[in-house]
Amino acid sequence: MENLLKSGIGEVEFSDLRIPLACVATNIVSGEEVVIKEGVVWKAVRASFSPPVMVAVTKWQGKYLVDGALVNPVPVNVLREMGQTSS
């Protein structure tokens, strides 16, 4: 999976994107939501769709991350915080 993401996305950083992007993951240790908006995009995408048990967890900034849907299945709040939706 990682090789596919690397080849498709490359080493693009969030700061290189023209359209703002955030990836939502779950810290499997604490159960907290982790919003990723910096660093290499493919790594954030990998962390944000790692269903526990089916796919190995992703280590990011010292945290072990799995699919963000565990804590926030529809992360509209993240978009609002980024100023991307209207109420």
Side-chain angles (χ1 to χ4, degrees):
M1 184 182 330
E2 288 184 6
N3 289 334
L4 183 63
L5 288 170
K6 286 179 194 178
S7 67
I9 298 173
E11 294 298 317
V12 175
E13 300 267 338
F14 279 85
S15 60
D16 298 328
L17 301 174
R18 292 185 307 156
I19 298 172
L21 173 69
C23 294
V24 177
T26 303
N27 181 331
I28 196 67
V29 175
S30 68
E32 295 176 328
E33 176 182 74
V34 176
V35 179
I36 306 170
K37 296 188 277 187
E38 60 184 33
V40 180
V41 172
W42 78 260
K43 291 180 181 181
V45 171
R46 166 68 171 87
S48 73
F49 77 89
S50 297
V53 180
M54 294 177 64
V55 180
V57 298
T58 299
K59 189 171 183 182
W60 181 81
Q61 294 187 355
K63 300 174 185 170
Y64 294 96
L65 304 179
V66 295
D67 197 317
L70 292 174
V71 292
N72 195 349
V74 184
V76 174
N77 64 310
V78 176
L79 287 174
R80 283 195 179 116
E81 290 169 10
M82 294 173 66
Q84 300 301 309
T85 64
S86 59
S87 335

